[in-house]
Amino acid sequence: MRALLIPFVTLLITLPTTSSQHTALNFGKNPSSYILLPSFTSTQRTSFSVCAWLKRHSNHLDFYQYWISYGVPDSFMEFGISDSGVSYMFGDGMLPRYQWLRVEENHHVCYAWGEGRAVVYYDGVEIGREKTEEGRELVTPGTLILGQFVSYSGLENIERFRYFGGEMTGVYIFSGMLTKEEVGEVYRGGRCFDVVSRFGSDNIFISWQDILQLERVGSVEEVEVQCSSRERRSRKYGESGKFGEF
C-alpha cells in the first residue's frame, strides 16, 4: 500500500488582539502634555519593571527624552527612564550603551529593577546594568507621570524641555523584575502582544488598557497603529494535526 503523504501547509495567522492594543498615544512636543498615573505602592517598593513601545517625533533633545518618571517629596530623581535608555534610580544616573535615535522609528524600551540592581533593555537586548543602593526601597507615594520629567513629587516639579514628543503604546508596569527572557518575549511579541494574558493581571500594576482610560492633559491624542510583519505568527500544520511554531 502506498504511504499517504500529507503535505505541510504554511498558514499565516494574525493573533487576536483587543482594539486598545492597536492604539497609541501621541504626546505633543511641549512640556504641558502628560498623563498622571496612580502612584507606585508598597507592592513595588522592592522590585518593578516598566516597558513601552516608543516612536520619537521630535529631536528637541536628541540624546534622551524622558517618557516616564517618578518623583517623591524628599528624594531627588527617585526614578525615570528616557527613550534612549538613559535612566536614573534613587538619584544615580545610568548611561547605557548609546542608542542613536532617529525620528519616526519604533523601539522597545524596558527597565527592570530588583535585588539591588537595575537593568535596561533596548529592542530586547540588554544595553546597561547598575547596582542600586543596598537595602534601599522605593519611596511611596509619589508622582508617577507619562510624557514628562519630574524631579520631585508634584506637577509643579515638571522640568521643561525634558519631555517626550512622540508616540507611545504598549506601556506596562509590572510588580516584579522581569528576566531577560521575559523582556525578549515581550519585544518579539510586538506592539500588539497580549501582555496581560501572558503574565496575568495579578503581576501587572498598570496595563496599557488602564492607561487609555486615564485623563489626558495637554496635547495627548489617540492614533491607530498597525502591527509589523514580525507581529504575525507563521505556523505549520502537519500529520500530527497540531499547530507548532517554526
Side-chain angles (χ1 to χ4, degrees), residues 136-173:
R136 174 77 147 79
E137 294 187 355
L138 192 70
V139 175
T140 58
T143 300
L144 183 60
I145 191 168
L146 281 182
Q148 299 290 335
F149 176 92
V150 60
S151 53
Y152 288 99
S153 63
L155 297 178
E156 68 276 10
N157 290 307
I158 290 176
E159 297 194 10
R160 298 178 64 85
F161 306 116
R162 297 196 187 191
Y163 56 85
F164 173 76
E167 286 181 14
M168 189 183 307
T169 192
V171 179
Y172 289 88
I173 303 179

Side-chain angles (χ1 to χ4, degrees), residues 8-220:
F8 282 88
V9 179
T10 300
L11 302 176
L12 273 180
I13 299 173
T14 302
L15 297 184
T17 59
T18 65
S19 59
S20 63
Q21 291 173 311
H22 291 280
T23 302
L25 292 176
N26 185 55
F27 286 73
K29 295 174 281 188
N30 58 66
S32 57
S33 298
Y34 62 87
I35 295 178
L36 187 63
L37 303 177
S39 171
F40 282 120
T41 69
S42 58
T43 307
Q44 294 83 43
R45 281 181 182 168
T46 58
S47 64
F48 70 87
S49 301
V50 180
C51 297
W53 282 95
L54 306 167
K55 181 165 72 172
R56 177 187 290 192
H57 289 331
S58 166
N59 265 340
H60 59 279
L61 278 176
D62 58 355
F63 186 46
Y64 58 82
Q65 296 178 27
Y66 281 93
W67 57 276
I68 187 169
S69 60
Y70 178 64
V72 298
D74 300 316
S75 177
F76 181 59
M77 296 169 58
E78 187 76 352
F79 162 70
I81 183 168
S82 73
D83 58 348
S84 65
V86 174
S87 58
Y88 61 87
M89 190 81 187
F90 305 145
D92 292 329
M94 183 195 305
L95 294 174
R97 188 165 66 251
Y98 181 66
Q99 306 301 311
W100 182 259
L101 297 182
R102 298 178 176 87
V103 296
E104 308 306 326
E105 290 183 350
N106 284 299
H107 294 284
H108 190 251
V109 178
C110 272
Y111 184 97
W113 170 71
E115 301 174 354
R117 72 185 189 279
V119 186
V120 175
Y121 301 89
Y122 188 87
D123 287 345
V125 177
E126 180 182 326
I127 61 170
R129 65 167 54 214
E130 193 170 86
K131 292 182 178 180
T132 57
E133 185 178 338
E134 187 175 356
R136 174 77 147 79
E137 294 187 355
L138 192 70
V139 175
T140 58
T143 300
L144 183 60
I145 191 168
L146 281 182
Q148 299 290 335
F149 176 92
V150 60
S151 53
Y152 288 99
S153 63
L155 297 178
E156 68 276 10
N157 290 307
I158 290 176
E159 297 194 10
R160 298 178 64 85
F161 306 116
R162 297 196 187 191
Y163 56 85
F164 173 76
E167 286 181 14
M168 189 183 307
T169 192
V171 179
Y172 289 88
I173 303 179
F174 301 84
S175 295
M177 185 178 187
L178 293 183
T179 65
K180 176 179 65 175
E181 291 75 20
E182 288 170 333
V183 170
E185 183 178 357
V186 175
Y187 166 67
R188 290 188 300 272
R191 291 179 296 174
C192 299
F193 185 53
D194 191 346
V195 175
V196 175
S197 293
R198 164 60 181 86
F199 291 92
S201 57
D202 291 344
N203 297 312
I204 297 174
F205 171 51
I206 299 176
S207 71
W208 182 238
Q209 291 80 4
D210 296 331
I211 292 170
L212 290 176
Q213 304 305 313
L214 297 176
E215 180 183 1
R216 303 161 194 172
V217 178
S219 303
V220 182

